[in-house]
Amino acid sequence: MIQLKKIDDDFAKDTVRLEDRNNGFEKNFIGNFLSRIWALYGPPNSILYEGFNYTFQEKYSGLIFTAYCGACGLAYGGKLEDEEALKPIIAEFDKYLSHVKPVDCEISFETDFGVTKVGAKDGIPYDIYEE
């Protein structure tokens, strides 16, 4: 079982997008992702243009990866040279998130199309797009 700790985004330097987070047909997928991670690790490290970022380090391997929302949607990132070693860590983390109950939270971020508010209220995730 993996053990993660949230670390400063400075440790995410030189990371790249490794894989998209498959949201399937999940409704309010950004708020769903955010509120489940928030339940485990609190607010994101940073709120960015078009999203947010969390940076984690896996205790046993020392490997670093990111979970984020950006211009291309939800994704996981890491150093390219760590990609193969990170795949099972990211897969286990993503699977675990599906069992976490969303907690109440909210962030807002700017996009090319206006402001987006995402989070959860009373355990129900939401994505609200404002122009």
Side-chain angles (χ1 to χ4, degrees), residues 27-91:
K27 186 176 180 186
N28 301 313
F29 62 94
I30 301 171
N32 199 330
F33 188 55
L34 174 70
S35 64
R36 290 169 191 268
I37 298 175
W38 194 307
L40 299 170
Y41 297 100
N45 293 26
S46 50
I47 299 172
L48 313 165
Y49 184 77
E50 298 187 330
F52 58 87
N53 190 69
Y54 284 90
T55 301
F56 299 106
Q57 182 173 37
E58 202 282 320
K59 178 181 177 179
Y60 300 111
S61 67
L63 295 172
I64 293 169
F65 75 95
T66 58
Y68 64 96
C69 175
C72 295
L74 304 179
Y76 293 109
K79 293 186 178 178
L80 199 53
E81 63 267 21
D82 296 334
E83 184 173 12
E84 289 307 311
L86 281 171
K87 281 183 180 183
I89 293 169
I90 290 170

